[in-house]
Amino acid sequence: MHYKLDGHRAVPCMSIAEWSAWFAVADRRVAETWIDDIRISTVFLGLDHNHGLGGDPLLFETMVFVDGETHEMRRYFIWEEAEAGHTEMAELIRAEMQAAQVRAAQAWEQVYARQKA
């Protein structure tokens, strides 16, 4: 249930003391991205958040924060999934921002065309 990182690989700890010592000084950040005032943070949790539901342990977490409040959370088994999930979340937010700009630009073109007529 307690894990530490060996490079990017999660390995079980033999004791809580081992885990505590590692956790106290570990760099657990997988990635952090700021898009305007939105923060996307992906970290290694060090504990299995699957809570015995079967399947692989959930050891990594991506969270989206807006004004300090959590708006989205996803959990993963391995580092590579966490990196990919982080990238996907950032791309989803950027794509939505881009789409909104396109819609706004199209709306402005219609307004401008009516004003010229």
Side-chain angles (χ1 to χ4, degrees), residues 2-4 13 15-24 45-47:
H2 294 83
Y3 295 83
K4 65 181 181 178
C13 291
S15 68
I16 291 179
E18 176 190 0
W19 177 79
S20 296
W22 177 85
F23 199 85
L45 299 168
L47 298 171

Side-chain angles (χ1 to χ4, degrees), residues 8-62:
H8 290 169
R9 190 171 142 250
V11 295
C13 291
M14 302 311 276
S15 68
I16 291 179
E18 176 190 0
W19 177 79
S20 296
W22 177 85
F23 199 85
V25 297
D27 177 8
R28 302 179 303 111
R29 177 168 291 150
V30 174
E32 181 177 52
T33 303
W34 282 89
I35 304 172
D36 292 336
D37 60 347
I38 297 171
R39 181 170 72 103
I40 306 162
S41 175
T42 302
V43 298
F44 175 69
L45 299 168
L47 298 171
D48 179 5
H49 281 68
N50 196 1
H51 307 295
L53 298 176
D56 294 324
L58 297 176
L59 303 173
F60 296 86
E61 179 176 84
T62 295

Side-chain angles (χ1 to χ4, degrees), residues 4 6 8-9 12 17 21 24 44 52 56 61 66 70 72 77-78 83 87-88 106:
K4 65 181 181 178
D6 181 5
H8 290 169
R9 190 171 142 250
F44 175 69
D56 294 324
E61 179 176 84
V66 180
T70 304
E72 177 73 19
F77 171 45
I78 61 173
E83 281 183 320
T87 299
E88 177 186 21
Q106 290 171 343

Side-chain angles (χ1 to χ4, degrees), residues 35 38 40 64 88-98:
I35 304 172
I38 297 171
I40 306 162
V64 177
E88 177 186 21
M89 185 63 69
E91 288 173 358
L92 285 170
I93 293 169
R94 286 187 179 111
E96 185 62 30
M97 290 174 67
Q98 179 112 16

